[in-house]
Amino acid sequence: MEIRLLNEQQADQIYRSYMVQDFPPSELKPFASVQGLMRRGLYEPLALYEDGALAAYAWLVVLPGCPGALLDYFAVLPERRGGGVGTRALQALAGHYAPSRQTLIIECEHPACAPDPAAARRRVGFYLRAGARPTAMESLLFGVRYQIYALPCGGAESDADIRADLETLYRTMVPEPYYRGNVVFFGG
């Protein structure tokens, strides 16, 4: 699987063509926020190609010196779903980040609170089958409850380390006063 880093124009195209359909509005950042993070060097929107065609996309929050990277958005194109593309894409991402990161941190909407609990359970099952492990952490981000999973790439981090990474990543992404009360972590 080929992984390409997107520029702002390419990222905007993926956002408008796919993300607005693949993610509920409550989970989708405004593209201007993504651009700001990209310009600060904190965000990597990636496109994953298989057999020369776009198959999936993964957008990650990355910080220099932080061993974890946050898988902010991940989706397989609708026509490519169900054939193992997602698992291959996650394995390619883990390999891509192995030289510089220990863990890809994954947030999954908690099935007990999701508008579609069955879909949330399927997402959790997918990440587990792809090699992610559950952590003892949850988060409440802008009113949406998430379970936290870890996909090892270059090593393994403890839940406490992953929590520290998440707090660092979110404090960099979300300025005060928005962080306080809108970004809450439990456990770990």
Side-chain angles (χ1 to χ4, degrees):
M1 190 159 285
E2 179 188 358
I3 298 175
R4 298 181 196 166
L5 179 65
L6 302 174
N7 64 31
E8 286 184 30
Q9 182 180 3
Q10 294 164 329
D12 184 49
Q13 181 65 34
I14 296 285
Y15 186 93
R16 287 184 289 109
S17 298
Y18 299 104
M19 291 181 72
V20 296
Q21 296 170 13
D22 292 335
F23 294 93
S26 63
E27 293 183 25
L28 198 57
K29 289 178 181 59
F31 189 73
S33 297
V34 170
Q35 281 179 305
L37 291 167
M38 287 176 69
R39 290 175 182 167
R40 291 171 54 202
L42 306 175
Y43 210 81
E44 293 184 354
L46 304 174
L48 293 96
Y49 290 81
E50 194 168 64
D51 301 324
L54 180 65
Y57 57 88
W59 293 20
L60 295 99
V61 181
V62 295
L63 296 176
C66 183
L70 175 62
L71 185 61
D72 204 21
Y73 296 103
F74 175 75
V76 174
L77 270 58
E79 63 272 13
R80 304 292 299 261
R81 293 178 187 157
V85 170
T87 299
R88 290 191 299 277
L90 283 176
Q91 291 168 349
L93 286 170
H96 176 79
Y97 282 103
S100 60
R101 308 284 170 201
Q102 290 185 22
T103 307
L104 293 182
I105 303 167
I106 301 166
E107 300 165 323
C108 286
E109 190 171 21
H110 197 295
C113 302
D116 184 347
R121 284 191 295 278
R122 283 192 302 274
R123 271 192 297 277
V124 167
F126 162 72
Y127 285 119
L128 292 173
R129 286 188 306 279
R133 71 166 181 85
T135 71
M137 286 182 297
E138 291 187 11
S139 62
L140 185 62
L141 307 172
F142 294 90
V144 180
R145 184 176 168 197
Y146 294 94
Q147 294 174 317
I148 310 299
Y149 296 84
L151 181 66
C153 19
E157 288 188 285
S158 70
D159 286 3
D161 291 335
I162 292 169
R163 180 182 175 134
D165 290 351
L166 268 177
E167 289 176 349
T168 299
L169 290 161
Y170 269 98
R171 286 205 177 273
T172 303
M173 276 192 306
V174 182
E176 289 291 354
Y178 303 108
Y179 185 95
R180 191 171 317 155
N182 289 309
V183 178
V184 180
F185 298 103
F186 305 93

